[in-house]
Amino acid sequence: MSPTTVAKLEIKPLPHPDGASGGLNAIIDAVEEHINRSILLLATGEPEDAPDFTTWLEGKELPGESDLQKPVDEADLVDKYTDRQQEVKSLTANLDRENKSINDSQVAAFSLSNNTYRNIAKIVLELRDTLGEDAPAPTKGVDGVYRLSPLAEIGLLLALLDAADRVHDEVQDAANGIETHAGDIAGSVPNAPRGYDNNNGGVPAASNAYRPAPASKASYRITDPPDPIGEALRVAGKEVGTEENDEAFGSKPYNNGSAWCAAFTSWVWKEAGYDVTWTDFDYVPAVWNDAEALDLRRPSPADAQPGDLIVFDWEGDGTPDHIGIVETVSGGMIHTIEGNSSDRVQRLDYSMNAGEVVGVIKPPPTGSGADVRV
């Protein structure tokens, strides 16, 4: 019997019904990545860490199953999802990044005959039929565009949330009952932030394994570059679209052979003319710890400015695990450029109130002066 692989475990893309709104399409993609995340964590022996999509929706104050089952205004509920679709897309992109951090060696011992996995496969099959051949037909609007009716969209949203809940329940039920495969997870550390246990190629990266942030030894030298913020954004923007599988990635200065989001932001600041010596420049918890020691943390994400570093906690465990560059701030949204997001450099957007945003780090002061060390 051949070993199980990540490709065998992940579900095929869910169908998108004709005439679906942007909000519905975003939820379909997010549920797909949530299901994949649950399956992969089940296979790696960490089902207790599987995400709960309903909890995420509640945190975002988006309509849940109870709201959809007794809608007061169907069109208004659909609009709420459409208006917030960028936040859903950001979640999907980061779940995809998390899923890609799991490699075949971590799931090789998992059996496809596992009862929980088979139950999830049945749930996915039902959902695929609901979104595909059984999906309602769109109707032509007065503008000549074919769309699903609000009532039809609500029915499909309910099916998606129900499937996500059932998958989550299956995996949580398995958490205390399955025979885990932790011994087959090379280099894994329980409760470590995703991305610190394996390098880009899926090889255990002991040098970048999760560890508590060390005591800060950071410092910065005050420099006087002409336009550091503009240069930081120019440098970061030129890298957008760079992917790990690009041949040129091997020579990138931020390619550290492991989780490289912090290496990317450290490089961008250096190119902009800031001279910061981090305790560990490519380790997010250390950078966040250093920012406090150097008094570079802004009071809240609402104070974010272009050129700042933005820090995330995608696991929700109190340990920061991802970092990017703030490009712009507008209308309560923070627009970023991030390295190692879905294995590439890309632009993303977040609400200032997003629960996954830990905080922002301002650049050191510029001008004439002396070294500052803490």
Side-chain angles (χ1 to χ4, degrees):
M1 182 180 295
S2 60
T4 299
T5 64
V6 170
K8 288 181 181 178
L9 290 171
E10 290 190 316
I11 67 174
K12 295 179 181 179
L14 294 172
H16 289 238
D18 292 337
S21 67
L24 177 58
N25 284 327
I27 293 293
I28 292 172
D29 292 339
V31 168
E32 178 184 317
E33 288 302 329
H34 265 81
I35 292 174
N36 282 332
R37 188 72 182 143
S38 296
I39 291 172
L40 293 175
L41 288 172
L42 172 70
T44 58
E46 295 179 316
E48 69 279 0
D49 291 338
D52 186 341
F53 191 57
T54 297
T55 299
W56 185 85
L57 288 176
E58 291 174 352
K60 295 294 182 181
E61 298 183 349
L62 281 165
E65 288 185 78
S66 59
D67 302 300
L68 296 171
Q69 287 168 349
K70 298 179 179 180
V72 176
D73 185 335
E74 291 94 345
D76 180 63
L77 289 180
V78 172
D79 287 343
K80 286 182 179 179
Y81 279 103
T82 299
D83 292 343
R84 304 280 294 280
Q85 62 180 292
Q86 189 57 52
E87 292 177 64
V88 179
K89 289 179 180 179
S90 295
L91 171 70
T92 303
N94 282 281
L95 282 171
D96 179 63
R97 174 177 59 83
E98 299 279 347
N99 290 339
K100 287 181 177 178
S101 73
I102 294 178
N103 62 78
D104 288 344
S105 70
Q106 294 175 269
V107 301
F110 183 76
S111 173
L112 296 180
S113 64
N114 177 278
N115 285 334
T116 300
Y117 176 74
R118 295 174 69 179
N119 290 341
I120 292 174
K122 292 177 182 177
I123 295 170
V124 172
L125 182 61
E126 293 174 10
L127 180 60
R128 191 178 301 282
D129 287 342
T130 300
L131 296 172
E133 60 185 34
D134 297 336
T139 56
K140 188 176 182 179
V142 294
D143 57 359
V145 177
Y146 283 84
R147 299 183 181 89
L148 290 175
S149 70
L151 188 61
E153 291 235 344
I154 285 179
L156 295 175
L157 285 167
L158 276 169
L160 285 158
L161 300 190
D162 177 66
D165 280 346
R166 290 167 63 195
V167 169
H168 183 70
D169 289 343
E170 286 285 345
V171 176
Q172 290 304 302
D173 288 344
N176 296 321
I178 68 169
E179 177 182 355
T180 67
H181 300 278
D184 299 298
I185 309 173
S188 68
V189 180
N191 302 319
R194 306 296 176 213
Y196 287 113
D197 50 354
N198 294 281
N199 67 13
N200 300 324
V203 180
S207 64
N208 205 51
Y210 171 68
R211 56 198 182 279
S216 178
K217 299 179 181 178
S219 66
Y220 62 76
R221 184 175 62 85
I222 298 176
T223 58
D224 194 17
D227 180 20
I229 294 174
E231 184 66 7
L233 300 182
R234 186 190 68 80
V235 169
K238 285 181 64 176
E239 299 300 306
V240 170
T242 299
E243 299 187 14
E244 286 183 9
N245 59 7
D246 293 342
E247 183 177 349
F249 185 79
S251 61
K252 291 292 183 181
Y254 48 83
N255 176 19
N256 61 1
S258 190
W260 50 277
C261 60
F264 175 74
T265 56
S266 296
W267 171 75
V268 169
W269 265 19
K270 181 179 179 181
E271 290 296 296
Y274 300 120
D275 188 356
V276 183
T277 301
W278 303 107
T279 303
D280 190 343
F281 75 93
D282 61 357
Y283 188 54
V284 179
V287 171
W288 182 238
N289 188 48
D290 287 346
E292 180 178 33
L294 296 174
D295 196 27
L296 295 180
R297 291 186 185 179
R298 292 200 186 274
S300 80
D303 299 305
Q305 298 292 323
D308 286 355
L309 306 185
I310 181 168
V311 178
F312 303 90
D313 175 11
W314 288 109
E315 293 299 308
D317 59 3
T319 301
D321 46 34
H322 186 61
I323 191 169
I325 298 282
V326 175
E327 184 174 29
T328 60
V329 181
S330 63
M333 298 295 292
I334 301 175
H335 308 276
T336 66
I337 299 175
E338 301 169 30
N340 201 24
S341 178
S342 300
D343 300 328
R344 61 178 61 89
V345 180
Q346 62 177 339
R347 288 184 166 93
L348 293 168
D349 309 286
Y350 306 90
S351 167
M352 287 181 180
N353 299 319
E356 60 270 17
V357 177
V358 176
V360 289
I361 302 172
K362 63 184 179 183
T366 57
S368 60
D371 287 345
V372 176
R373 180 174 292 277
V374 177

